Amino acid sequence: MLIGIDVGGTTTDAVLIRNGKVCSTAKVSTEPGNLMNSLLEALDAISRDVDPEQLERVVFSTTVITNLIAEGKTDRVALVLIPGPGINPASYTYPDSFFLKGAMDYRGREIHPLDEAEIRKTVGLIRESGFSRAAIINKFGQRNPFHELRIEEIFREIYPECKLELGHKVSGKLNFPRRIATAMLTSATRGHYIEFVEKIKKSLEERNIRAPVYILKADGGTLPVEKSIEFPVETIFSGPAASTIGALALTPEGQTSVVVDIGGTTTDLALILSGKPLMASKGAKLGGFLTHVRAFAVRSIAVGGDSVVRVKDSDTGTKQITIGPYRAGPAYCMGGKETTPTDALKFLGLIEVGNPESAGEAIKAMASALGKSETETASLIVDKVAQRIADAVNEMFFEWEQEPAYRVWEVLQEKEARPENVVGIGGGAKGLIAEIAKKLDAKPVIPEYAEVGNAIGAAVARPTLTLNLHIDTEQKVYSVAEEGEIVSLNTTNFGNFNKIRLDEAEAMAAELLRERAENFGISEYADEAEVVNSEVFNVVNGWYTTGRLFDVNMQIPAGLIPEWKRRENV
Amino acid sequence: MKLGLGRLRDVLKTGSGSGEGEKKQVEGKNKAEKEEMQTINEENKPEISERNEGNTMELRKAGLESKKEPLSPADRTGADKTGLIFFPAFDWAISPTHPEREERLLYTRDQIFEEGLMDLPEIAEYKPRLAEYRDIARVHFCVPDIKAQATTPHLIAAGSCLVLGDALMKAEVKNAFALIRPPGHHAMTVAHGNRGFCNINNEAILVEYLRKKYGIRRIAIVDTDVHHGDGTQEIFYNDPDVLFISFHQDGRTLYPGTGFINELGGPKALGRTINIPLPPGTPDEGILYVLDTLVLPILKDFKPELVLNSAGQDNHYTDPLANMRFSAQGYAKLNEKLAPDMAVLEGGYAIQSALPYVNTGIILAMAGLDYSCVREPDFKPGMFVQAARDRKTLEEVVAAQLENWKNRDRLVESEVAKHGDFYRRKKQIFYDTDMIQEFQEETIRMCPDCQGYKTIDSHAHRSGDDTRIFGVSIPIYACKNCQAEAREEYRKSLNHPEYEYVYLQDKKEDEYRAYNTRTKQEIAY
Ligand SMILES: [Zn+2]
Ligand SMILES: [Zn+2]
Ligand SMILES: [Zn+2]
């Protein structure tokens, strides 16, 4: 049996899945100050009549890190930065930054040495200023971490208690400012996150649950909870990821869908293209900082079932309807004070919940202000909300089509997808899905269990993993961005480095990914790995080729565990 | 990527519903047109079978654009972003060890991505597209046809300039940088092959596109590549509305061996071509001196609607193909002072020691950001000082060219008086990459009402193969008489068997034709 729990902003949803089928569901309201309580409450509700021995897998998606950052409850971190030439580091807006001399270039060659005396002075200053955490980030540190490692040594020597984060261990991708932010947030949240994980482990022990426990990440993949301590920030935005995987699980394989989760004041959107959730081309934005955290391409728009509807005079003197962005409590037909899209839906008979008489009153008031019939008015409100959402969907498709291309084949590749389905996930404003689908010329889909689609997504998500291999045959080294070590090519089986072929580099990446998957305890998914991009460049000096640079990017993409897929085949 | 509002509005208009259907319809129509063969019989006219040709993908993408009335450029005072297309063409090379090869912009990619430049709110990154064949035909006579000269990477490089040109004209951005390859500034009107790594001229294609689509007229191109921008110069040599300024290492010491101060433009455009040969070894201070004392004052005087920087990076002190001493700081300062509306990458082959730093510097400078910390690993301020003798040479060049600029109208007057109805000149052009020797006779109609149409009789010799073509070019702002006369010229030439191909370039009508005298087939682009 599988358990999936999504701790959301207002409710915490849970499902129990047996033999690939939803067995039971639960919904409790989230206590903003105590996510752990809500999580355990949902867990207890769902597992009440279940023998803990029968549980095979428990997956949580939680906003704990998002909340910590939003509430400013993170730890202070001293940022030790080695920016080298480029943008003036004075333009960075990171707090508590200490800049050091030294520089690496794009090939990982040292272009300016460190100044040991300056480092010692800085470490002393960090200690005196009362920082107990520091993050050390070097521009191009992922191409050569020597400077970061040397500074770490000096810390160990004169301030050993300081907890350290090294940029090249946090992300191997290009983008120094994002690496700074990611390292900073990782360091700032790790302490609290460890406490959270300890509490979870203890609570599960108390309940005799010994099944493996996973955390859902923003890229829709699961990570064993012990392993997640290394990457706390990857657990952000797992809510939308859970909904998207849920939609994937509840719609036919291989289709293109828009996932719409209509809440009280906001609507979350995600895209599934030919059965693959669309990833954001760059990392997520968190606490105002751009990071390297992989996430689905999700969009939140400020319109929902409880958005306040008003009639206003336009510039041309005609009356106009405005929707949102505010909420003034629940819909009128649910006992609230203001007219909302929910009232319009109720008036038109598109939803079941709510009091029909009060919906009528709410629409009547609008209609007389607008000078239109009640049905016209209600339709206008629904149409306007649906249009806003459909416009946002079109924008998402357009942005995907317009993602930059750096190769001839990428420009020639025609990105033209239109949604086949509009999938409603979550409990809100179901009546709108059909209207949105009409505008997008797609099929409206409200799957069974849509209201706990997020928890289903958590329960059936499979692990994801990335591996970025970089080989420089001129310098006779290779590195795996995610591991942060520069390794001599002499340790590999390659004979003549200058004769390495791209397919051999890809095979090496696949083998390294297999090892990494084993290390993560997810080796059974290694076969799902795919090459995202691989390329080779000659290094030419004068008119001679003196080496080659390989880049192979592999991933185990987001998807469903076979236990769920099995059900589809039945 | 960040999108300008204008583009988003366009999308929302066409993203769903009727827009989509319209798009499909246009696509269908183009297909139909393509298959249509026309046979026209007229007096004095050979039998012609006509077909329309275009690269289908682009027809589809640009099919919605209206081709009738020019739009007008939007007011850019509110725009605050720098548009950027980074198209390194990682899967294209002239040959594996040629300077123009796959990884030319690899380290530049590493540097600008590691800096996080694409994340800056001041930068809007755009996606490249393919240029249409008619965009190429507006500038070039491609021999034998466009397909042979403009391969897919060329169409993308040119198309990238057009994307940014549109963004600029729609005021989505305040300025733009096309960080693209392959380059183009050595490509001339007639394209028999590759010259100086170039097949088609990106800047010229952009200029003619913007003039046609947005109705602008006066444009200045400042060529800052170390090599003389001989292709761009040739294309606009007789056009008084295009000011072409090139500084470059003295042609006596470097390819292509031209760009001397006496090359001032055709009779009716004298003084609108300004060449500034620089002594080898000229450092930042020399180039900035030329900029301050000559280029900027002339630009101020000319009042162009648009300034383009044909931005080569081979003036750098580490460039393997030239001998100058320009630095990343110098390049950044140059772009800050010149403040071009758009920069288009040309040459620059120190792919590790210069390009990552120079490009970072240019992007920051164009975006109005602090570039003071951008420097090459071995750079020390003051490491290059200009020799007194070289400084004196520059002062003389500047003085002479200022004099030419001041007297340009008088120069035109006296030169025009020397010629009758036509002005002819003979030229020899060498294609270094493809080893072609071309002989040309260019004829300009000395029209009192406009700049006059142009015809080119071009004879290309390559090993075992000779081609002779004839091309007629009508400027966009030509008078009606010139247009009629030129079209007649084209019609008459179709009967001349000494030409293998005859071309018509009617920019006024936006009509482009190529006729094969052997197969008697005419292609309309
Ligand atoms: Zn030049
Ligand atoms: Zn050049
Ligand atoms: Zn005329």
Side-chain angles (χ1 to χ4, degrees):
Chain A
M1 279 186 285
L2 318 170
I3 284 179
I5 297 177
D6 177 35
V7 185
T10 44
T11 65
T12 296
D13 304 332
V15 291
L16 180 73
I17 291 172
R18 183 191 312 212
N19 296 331
K21 272 191 183 158
V22 176
C23 188
S24 63
T25 68
K27 230 179 207 337
V28 304
S29 46
T30 301
E31 257 181 76
N34 200 334
L35 300 184
M36 183 60 71
N37 274 0
S38 313
L39 192 155
L40 294 175
E41 203 185 316
L43 177 66
D44 291 338
I46 201 81
S47 59
R48 194 172 296 134
D49 308 315
V50 178
D51 174 6
E53 292 291 318
Q54 291 200 341
L55 290 176
E56 300 155 82
R57 185 178 198 249
V58 180
V59 184
F60 298 115
S61 124
T62 153
T63 53
V64 60
I65 295 292
T66 319
N67 288 12
L68 279 175
I69 294 169
E71 290 159 18
K73 290 184 183 157
T74 52
D75 294 322
R76 280 177 77 212
V77 181
L79 295 176
V80 181
L81 307 178
I82 309 111
I87 289 186
N88 188 342
S91 69
Y92 294 150
T93 53
Y94 306 103
D96 303 322
S97 304
F98 299 83
F99 296 101
L100 296 181
K101 291 195 198 81
M104 293 288 173
D105 78 356
Y106 41 80
R107 296 275 303 276
R109 296 170 298 205
E110 183 181 69
I111 50 180
H112 296 299
L114 292 171
D115 176 343
E116 296 260 334
E118 185 193 48
I119 300 168
R120 286 170 191 278
K121 218 176 99 194
T122 305
V123 173
L125 190 62
I126 287 171
R127 177 187 205 143
E128 282 159 33
S129 315
F131 290 97
S132 58
R133 297 176 168 273
I136 307 161
I137 307 109
N138 189 177
K139 193 178 282 175
F140 290 116
Q142 75 281 47
R143 292 281 160 89
N144 183 354
F146 169 73
H147 285 173
E148 291 180 4
L149 294 170
R150 178 65 196 129
I151 296 168
E152 181 190 31
E153 268 175 29
I154 296 174
F155 262 102
R156 293 270 169 268
E157 186 191 317
I158 55 184
Y159 187 15
E161 319 82 274
C162 191
K163 296 205 169 59
L164 297 179
E165 214 63 63
L166 303 188
H168 74 278
K169 297 260 179 197
V170 168
S171 175
K173 286 195 200 129
L174 290 168
N175 199 321
F176 178 59
R178 283 177 184 258
R179 214 160 49 248
I180 297 173
T182 313
M184 173 183 78
L185 293 169
T186 299
S187 177
T189 55
R190 176 167 288 149
H192 298 277
Y193 187 74
I194 290 174
E195 285 169 30
F196 176 78
V197 168
E198 290 306 320
K199 271 191 220 158
I200 284 191
K201 280 163 65 179
K202 192 162 149 271
S203 309
L204 293 175
E205 256 165 50
E206 286 165 8
R207 289 161 175 78
N208 287 320
I209 297 175
R210 273 180 285 274
V213 179
Y214 299 85
I215 289 282
L216 194 70
K217 299 185 292 174
D219 71 351
T222 56
L223 193 62
V225 72
E226 296 80 16
K227 209 66 191 168
S228 71
I229 290 170
E230 286 178 42
F231 315 95
V233 288
E234 292 194 1
T235 68
I236 55 152
F237 306 136
S238 57
S243 298
T244 309
I245 298 287
L248 187 67
L250 297 170
T251 49
E253 210 174 333
Q255 296 197 347
T256 294
S257 306
V258 182
V259 185
V260 183
D261 186 345
I262 303 167
T265 50
T266 58
T267 296
D268 291 330
L269 303 171
L271 301 182
I272 298 174
L273 303 176
S274 306
K276 288 183 178 161
L278 178 66
M279 300 295 299
S281 57
K282 291 174 176 180
K285 190 171 185 175
L286 186 54
F289 295 106
L290 294 166
T291 73
H292 274 304
V293 177
R294 270 164 55 92
F296 286 157
V298 290
R299 173 169 304 205
S300 196
I301 54 173
V303 57
D306 297 343
S307 300
V308 172
V309 178
R310 293 252 159 81
V311 174
K312 283 215 174 90
D313 292 317
S314 73
D315 301 337
T316 55
T318 57
K319 304 269 182 200
Q320 264 190 345
I321 282 179
T322 64
I323 294 161
Y326 308 106
R327 175 181 192 262
Y332 197 82
C333 66
M334 310 281 273
K337 290 190 175 64
E338 299 261 8
T339 309
T340 67
T342 303
D343 297 306
L345 289 166
K346 181 69 198 172
F347 180 85
L348 296 171
L350 295 172
I351 47 170
E352 275 150 35
V353 292
N355 179 323
E357 283 80 43
S358 14
E361 284 167 36
I363 296 303
K364 198 173 175 184
M366 287 287 126
S368 60
L370 203 61
K372 285 198 156 73
S373 81
E374 287 164 29
T375 311
E376 268 177 319
T377 305
S379 304
L380 201 63
I381 295 171
V382 170
D383 186 76
K384 214 158 174 171
V385 174
Q387 193 61 53
R388 283 267 291 278
I389 296 172
D391 285 351
V393 171
N394 283 329
E395 251 175 60
M396 285 181 85
F397 273 101
F398 179 72
E399 286 191 11
W400 166 69
E401 285 163 16
Q402 293 301 314
E403 271 169 21
Y406 305 119
R407 293 162 193 86
V408 174
W409 70 264
E410 288 173 339
V411 179
L412 294 179
Q413 184 191 39
E414 292 226 41
K415 284 174 155 184
E416 261 185 64
R418 302 306 310 164
E420 293 164 79
N421 310 308
V422 173
V423 185
I425 290 289
K430 273 186 192 166
L432 267 173
I433 299 297
E435 296 301 313
I436 300 164
K438 215 182 283 168
K439 292 198 184 292
L440 294 169
D441 203 12
K443 201 173 91 192
V445 178
I446 297 179
E448 203 187 353
Y449 304 114
E451 64 290 347
V452 288
N454 49 346
I456 294 174
V460 303
R462 77 177 182 204
T464 55
L465 197 66
T466 61
L467 185 124
N468 294 293
L469 172 65
H470 181 79
I471 304 175
D472 184 332
T473 69
E474 193 188 38
Q475 303 196 69
K476 300 181 176 59
V477 293
Y478 78 87
S479 59
V480 171
E482 289 79 1
E483 314 254 317
E485 250 163 289
I486 306 292
V487 188
S488 163
L489 276 177
N490 291 319
T491 63
T492 63
N493 293 326
F494 293 122
N496 185 341
F497 302 147
N498 283 326
K499 294 226 166 106
I500 299 175
R501 296 188 316 265
L502 192 54
D503 60 304
E504 293 174 309
E506 286 176 13
M508 175 176 172
E511 189 45 42
L512 289 165
L513 182 127
R514 184 170 294 281
E515 283 169 28
R516 193 166 156 77
E518 229 161 81
N519 187 15
F520 274 72
I522 55 170
S523 51
E524 64 269 38
Y525 296 97
D527 287 339
E528 304 285 343
E530 59 186 28
V531 174
V532 180
N533 183 45
S534 76
E535 57 196 13
V536 55
F537 293 99
N538 292 327
V539 179
V540 179
N541 279 328
W543 294 83
Y544 298 99
T545 304
T546 52
R548 307 183 89 191
L549 299 175
F550 293 87
D551 271 297
V552 182
N553 313 325
M554 293 193 73
Q555 67 167 347
I556 300 175
L560 309 174
I561 56 172
E563 288 87 332
W564 178 265
K565 272 196 177 166
R566 266 205 309 268
R567 173 180 168 251
E568 268 191 353
N569 297 334
V570 172
Chain B
M1 68 171 273
K2 296 168 224 99
L3 292 165
L5 276 176
R7 305 185 78 203
L8 278 182
R9 251 180 263 124
D10 288 352
V11 177
L12 294 179
K13 261 185 254 145
T14 57
S16 63
S18 61
E20 197 62 20
E22 211 177 297
K23 207 172 171 182
K24 291 275 145 63
Q25 249 177 13
V26 170
E27 195 183 314
K29 190 162 156 263
N30 273 317
K31 266 191 200 126
E33 269 173 12
K34 263 188 79 176
E35 283 152 21
E36 189 183 337
M37 298 280 235
Q38 265 184 4
T39 310
I40 315 157
N41 267 308
E42 271 176 47
E43 229 185 332
N44 279 342
K45 196 177 181 196
E47 197 171 274
I48 294 175
S49 57
E50 183 192 297
R51 64 196 169 92
N52 280 291
E53 194 158 290
N55 39 337
T56 49
M57 176 175 173
E58 220 23 67
L59 284 173
R60 225 180 302 169
K61 287 263 159 150
L64 289 171
E65 304 273 10
S66 152
K67 278 176 183 129
K68 286 164 200 102
E69 280 305 294
L71 309 162
S72 46
D75 179 11
R76 258 186 289 147
T77 42
D80 52 5
K81 286 181 193 302
T82 293
L84 183 64
I85 286 186
F86 177 57
F87 183 68
F90 283 148
D91 44 1
W92 178 81
I94 289 180
S95 76
T97 57
H98 192 280
E100 201 48 76
R101 61 177 181 265
E102 291 91 342
E103 85 277 20
R104 184 172 157 224
L105 294 174
L106 176 66
Y107 311 109
T108 294
R109 187 253 333 244
D110 288 356
Q111 190 75 36
I112 66 179
F113 283 20
E114 176 73 351
E115 298 287 354
L117 294 186
M118 303 304 194
D119 286 339
L120 295 174
E122 292 85 355
I123 307 279
E125 194 181 5
Y126 284 81
K127 183 182 185 175
R129 71 165 169 92
L130 282 93
E132 285 184 65
Y133 279 173
R134 57 190 292 108
D135 296 323
I136 316 302
R138 208 175 273 126
V139 170
H140 295 290
F141 300 134
C142 289
V143 186
D145 54 21
I146 294 179
K147 219 178 295 165
Q149 295 303 332
T151 63
T152 305
H154 295 102
L155 293 175
I156 298 173
S160 299
C161 296
L162 306 187
V163 168
L164 292 176
D166 283 327
L168 207 55
M169 290 295 121
K170 290 176 180 166
E172 292 171 16
V173 296
K174 64 171 180 182
N175 58 17
F177 184 17
L179 188 34
I180 51 155
R181 54 184 288 269
H185 74 145
H186 294 304
M188 300 186 172
T189 307
V190 183
H192 284 285
N194 186 297
R195 290 188 75 241
F197 317 165
C198 306
N199 285 71
I200 58 170
N201 194 305
N202 297 322
E203 287 89 346
I205 291 165
L206 172 67
V207 165
E208 295 298 15
Y209 174 85
L210 294 180
R211 291 216 271 201
K212 190 75 232 169
K213 189 165 173 185
Y214 299 97
I216 56 172
R217 184 160 181 158
R218 289 164 79 80
I219 292 166
I221 303 172
V222 182
D223 187 309
T224 58
D225 190 279
V226 77
H227 301 96
H228 176 226
D230 55 347
T232 317
Q233 170 172 310
E234 189 267 354
I235 291 168
F236 296 111
Y237 207 60
N238 294 289
D239 189 337
D241 294 324
V242 174
L243 170 63
F244 176 73
I245 304 176
S246 176
F247 60 73
H248 40 265
Q249 185 173 327
D250 193 322
R252 289 169 299 187
T253 60
L254 192 69
Y255 178 89
T258 52
F260 300 103
I261 60 170
N262 60 347
E263 298 163 31
L264 283 166
K268 302 199 78 175
L270 279 169
R272 275 75 169 187
T273 292
I274 299 283
N275 282 297
I276 307 142
L278 304 170
T282 300
D284 293 358
E285 60 166 303
I287 290 176
L288 296 173
Y289 165 76
V290 167
L291 190 72
D292 286 335
T293 56
L294 181 60
V295 179
L296 293 177
I298 290 181
L299 282 176
K300 200 171 158 213
D301 210 14
F302 184 68
K303 297 188 191 64
E305 291 160 86
L306 202 73
V307 177
L308 302 180
N309 178 2
S310 187
Q313 307 181 349
D314 34 15
N315 280 296
H316 194 265
Y317 65 89
T318 62
D319 196 274
L321 302 187
N323 319 87
M324 303 297 265
R325 287 175 173 175
F326 214 40
S327 72
Q329 278 294 311
Y331 270 109
K333 188 151 279 152
L334 169 84
N335 279 279
E336 184 180 52
K337 285 180 171 228
L338 183 61
D341 296 292
M342 187 159 157
V344 177
L345 177 67
E346 287 296 338
Y349 302 96
I351 64 175
Q352 296 207 42
S353 50
L355 267 53
Y357 308 102
V358 171
N359 281 308
T360 303
I362 293 178
I363 294 169
L364 290 175
M366 287 190 74
L369 297 166
D370 182 345
Y371 56 80
S372 61
C373 298
V374 179
R375 55 188 50 170
E376 304 82 344
D378 60 344
F379 180 79
K380 280 170 202 70
M383 69 194 282
F384 301 116
V385 183
Q386 180 149 50
R389 214 184 62 190
D390 290 346
R391 177 59 173 245
K392 197 155 168 288
T393 307
L394 284 185
E395 283 167 4
E396 284 162 13
V397 170
V398 166
Q401 291 292 37
L402 280 175
E403 197 60 22
N404 285 330
W405 174 253
K406 208 171 71 195
N407 296 328
R408 62 193 182 281
D409 293 337
R410 269 211 340 259
L411 289 172
V412 168
E413 211 177 300
S414 67
E415 183 66 24
V416 168
K418 286 188 212 157
H419 306 281
D421 286 345
F422 292 95
Y423 163 78
R424 290 196 166 78
R425 71 169 176 158
K426 287 193 156 80
K427 281 188 291 189
Q428 265 191 53
I429 297 156
F430 181 61
Y431 292 63
D432 59 328
T433 320
D434 283 348
M435 301 302 275
I436 301 167
Q437 189 72 42
E438 182 192 358
F439 297 92
Q440 264 192 20
E441 187 173 87
E442 187 185 71
T443 306
I444 313 285
R445 174 75 167 94
M446 292 281 101
C447 174
D449 302 319
C450 74
Q451 70 179 73
Y453 69 89
K454 172 168 84 174
T455 64
I456 299 176
D457 180 338
S458 156
H459 196 159
H461 300 272
R462 63 181 101 197
S463 55
D465 181 26
D466 271 21
T467 319
R468 191 164 167 200
I469 64 112
F470 186 74
V472 178
S473 173
I474 303 162
I476 181 167
Y477 297 114
C479 72
K480 282 249 184 276
N481 288 341
C482 278
Q483 188 185 30
E485 212 176 298
R487 291 182 74 103
E488 185 53 29
E489 209 37 37
Y490 170 72
R491 222 162 292 139
K492 280 194 312 212
S493 308
L494 300 182
N495 289 322
H496 287 243
E498 66 267 35
Y499 303 120
E500 268 181 65
Y501 301 94
V502 183
Y503 301 85
L504 172 70
Q505 187 179 72
D506 186 343
K507 301 185 215 181
K508 194 176 170 68
E509 207 59 42
D510 209 20
E511 186 185 320
Y512 310 96
R513 294 175 179 274
Y515 180 75
N516 181 331
T517 60
R518 306 287 184 270
T519 63
K520 303 209 182 306
Q521 202 177 55
E522 186 182 57
I523 297 174
Y525 291 106

